[in-house]
Amino acid sequence: MLTIYVEDFEHEILSPILSDNENIFELFIQKWIAVYPLNVVKYIDIYDDTTFNHKMVKDLLVDIDMLISHANESEIYILQQIKELCFFTLSSEHQYLRFDGD
């Protein structure tokens, strides 16, 4: 299970925590990662922690927009939530998007 949130440089959580309890995002990216050349989604480690800075988050938004065009309703829902966290990350300096794997 992945939990996804925005944190600052002191690792303080700044956003609501998105929990992918049903592994929707994990299963979805595993399905599409071999099919499409994704910029940064391929670096998300579902079993460990992955942190994206501002530049990486901008590339992640490109990946998410491409993935949304191939997603079903539940997948679109979680992708949209991740997109909102991306925009939150970009709203201020020294904020990072973090994916915590189990």
Side-chain angles (χ1 to χ4, degrees), residues 24-48:
I24 294 169
F25 182 68
E26 174 185 338
L27 295 171
F28 184 68
I29 63 172
Q30 286 177 347
K31 177 172 66 175
W32 291 105
I33 205 160
V35 178
Y36 291 103
L38 301 169
N39 295 315
V40 294
V41 166
K42 63 186 173 190
Y43 297 119
I44 297 172
D45 186 344
I46 56 175
Y47 303 109
D48 204 355

Side-chain angles (χ1 to χ4, degrees), residues 44-74:
I44 297 172
D45 186 344
I46 56 175
Y47 303 109
D48 204 355
D49 303 334
T50 308
T51 303
F52 291 130
N53 64 26
H54 275 222
K55 291 179 182 181
M56 298 164 150
V57 166
K58 290 176 184 177
D59 286 340
L60 180 59
L61 283 167
V62 173
D63 285 356
I64 289 172
D65 285 338
M66 192 281 303
L67 289 170
I68 284 174
S69 66
H70 301 286
N72 66 34
E73 190 174 322
S74 62

